[in-house]
Amino acid sequence: MFKFDEIDRQLLAMLQKDSKKTNKEYANKLGLSTTAVYERVKRLEKNKVVTNYVALVDKKKVNKAFVVLCHVKLIQHIKDNVLQFEREILKLEEIAECYHVSGDYDYILKVHVKDMEAYRGFMVSKLTAIANIGSTQSTFIINEVKHTTAIDV
């Protein structure tokens, strides 16, 4: 397991908040040299602690603010069905997140679409076209109280 020190934790928090800052800006806040910060960032990347850098998009500005949590139950839980379902889910751009879960349902999908009509179209023409789906249940997001991509380290 990767060993973190306090500076690593602070650097990870800063990277998660705004990864577009320069190493010099991080160095100034951490009281380190630019080279030391660069080496720490490279070490975090090499050890797969930092796996990617992305731009976060405002859902409203790209007309995808209608968010649904869709619970899916498969007919059978045999390996081929599970793997086939997961392969098909990866192809659907409306699905931002997919979790294989325990409990009454097998999967929880986070779906971003324009509106209820778009969600119905997604359900009818895409999701329910996948073989071996036994049932679905949709939960519509009323208000996003907290949303973060940051993980406390």
Side-chain angles (χ1 to χ4, degrees):
M1 185 165 153
F2 187 79
K3 297 285 185 184
F4 298 100
D5 64 16
E6 186 55 33
I7 293 174
D8 289 328
R9 293 179 200 287
Q10 291 174 23
L11 179 56
L12 282 168
M14 287 187 260
L15 286 168
Q16 289 184 92
K17 186 174 182 183
D18 183 358
S19 66
K20 290 213 37 143
K21 291 192 184 296
T22 65
N23 286 337
K24 185 175 182 177
E25 290 174 289
Y26 297 132
N28 288 338
K29 288 188 177 189
L30 293 168
L32 298 173
S33 70
T34 303
T35 302
V37 168
Y38 173 82
E39 289 172 358
R40 282 180 180 266
V41 170
K42 288 300 171 197
R43 184 173 47 98
L44 292 167
E45 292 170 348
K46 180 182 176 194
N47 287 286
K48 305 281 190 246
V49 176
V50 173
T51 58
N52 209 357
Y53 296 94
V54 300
L56 301 177
V57 176
D58 185 324
K59 295 180 290 293
K60 293 174 186 164
K61 293 189 177 167
V62 295
N63 212 12
K64 301 286 181 166
F66 193 78
V67 182
V68 184
L69 299 178
C70 180
H71 298 70
V72 177
K73 186 181 293 188
L74 300 181
I75 294 170
Q76 289 183 307
H77 299 100
I78 60 174
K79 181 180 178 181
D80 289 342
N81 290 356
V82 168
L83 295 177
Q84 179 61 31
F85 175 80
E86 291 177 359
R87 279 192 298 273
E88 294 299 320
I89 289 301
L90 292 173
K91 298 175 188 175
L92 301 177
E93 67 275 357
E94 295 89 347
I95 299 174
E97 299 173 45
C98 173
Y99 301 97
H100 193 178
V101 296
S102 62
D104 292 336
Y105 287 89
D106 300 313
Y107 291 90
I108 298 176
L109 314 176
K110 186 174 184 182
V111 180
H112 293 268
V113 290
K114 177 182 176 182
D115 54 22
M116 180 65 83
E117 185 178 336
Y119 183 67
R120 183 181 189 285
F122 164 77
M123 288 294 290
V124 170
S125 66
K126 293 184 178 182
L127 187 64
T128 58
I130 298 173
N132 299 306
I133 291 181
S135 65
T136 64
Q137 177 182 322
S138 299
T139 302
F140 303 100
I141 303 300
I142 295 169
N143 183 40
E144 188 174 273
V145 177
K146 179 179 180 181
H147 175 87
T148 183
T149 60
I151 296 173
D152 182 40
V153 291

